[in-house]
């Protein structure tokens, strides 16, 4: 008795499914690209968030030391983005800096922007760099120019 020949059934299955892997890969490629693009956008957003936190801390320390609010505003914008909105509030006890930046992927300008913001507060020093105590609450309005 001879064993049944199994070689023909495997070769038939192999040729029938030979192009299916290529077709499945071609169908999944656009979905994979969308997931990759979303992941890159998320990484960019987190990076901008970290920049905002660092810039807000540095700006709050500078404003609490008594530096001019215009200089603090420029310091914060230089550390983040030229279109960042910076709000500085300084009174006799606390100095608060809030920075907001719109994040939009460079490859899809038609997508809606994500607003990223950070706030930092520092104790206002009793003496400014000019030797006098800070005056009443000063607030610099958000930047309106879009460079």
């Amino acid at each position: 008795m001879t064993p049944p020949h199994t070689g023909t059934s495997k070769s038939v299955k192999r040729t029938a499914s030979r192009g299916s892997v290529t077709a499945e890969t071609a169908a999944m490629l656009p979905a994979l690209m969308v997931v990759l693009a979303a992941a890159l956008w998320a990484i960019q957003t987190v990076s901008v968030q970290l920049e905002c936190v660092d810039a807000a801390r540095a700006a709050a320390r500078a404003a609490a030391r008594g530096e001019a609010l215009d200089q603090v505003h420029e310091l914060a914008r230089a550390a983040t983005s030229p279109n960042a909105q910076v709000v500085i509030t300084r009174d006799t006890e606390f100095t608060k800096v809030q920075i907001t930046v719109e994040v939009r992927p460079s490859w899809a300008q038609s997508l809606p922007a994500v607003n990223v913001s950070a706030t930092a507060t520092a104790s206002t020093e009793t003496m400014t760099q000019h030797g006098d105590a800070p005056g009443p609450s000063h607030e610099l309005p958000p930047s309106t120019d879009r460079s």
Side-chain angles (χ1 to χ4, degrees), residues 13-79:
K13 286 182 182 178
R14 201 175 277 170
T15 58
S17 66
R18 188 165 194 165
S20 66
V21 173
T22 305
E24 290 170 2
T25 303
M28 289 301 297
L29 195 58
L32 181 63
M33 295 303 290
V34 168
V35 170
L36 178 64
L40 290 175
W41 189 9
I43 289 170
Q44 178 186 7
T45 303
V46 169
S47 174
V48 170
Q49 172 69 34
L50 293 174
E51 287 177 0
C52 285
V53 168
D54 290 341
R57 286 180 185 163
R61 284 192 304 267
R65 284 191 309 258
E67 293 186 26
L69 295 181
D70 291 334
Q71 291 176 349
V72 174
H73 183 264
E74 289 306 315
L75 170 76
R77 287 184 58 177

Side-chain angles (χ1 to χ4, degrees), residues 36-117:
L36 178 64
L40 290 175
W41 189 9
I43 289 170
Q44 178 186 7
T45 303
V46 169
S47 174
V48 170
Q49 172 69 34
L50 293 174
E51 287 177 0
C52 285
V53 168
D54 290 341
R57 286 180 185 163
R61 284 192 304 267
R65 284 191 309 258
E67 293 186 26
L69 295 181
D70 291 334
Q71 291 176 349
V72 174
H73 183 264
E74 289 306 315
L75 170 76
R77 287 184 58 177
T80 55
S81 171
N83 65 346
Q85 295 180 355
V86 180
V87 178
I88 303 169
T89 307
R90 179 169 54 190
D91 61 22
T92 56
E93 288 188 44
F94 295 106
T95 300
K96 178 181 172 184
V97 175
Q98 180 177 7
I99 300 175
T100 305
V101 177
E102 288 185 350
V103 180
R104 186 179 313 242
S106 60
W107 43 266
Q109 292 295 322
S110 62
L111 289 177
V114 174
N115 285 329
V116 175
S117 67

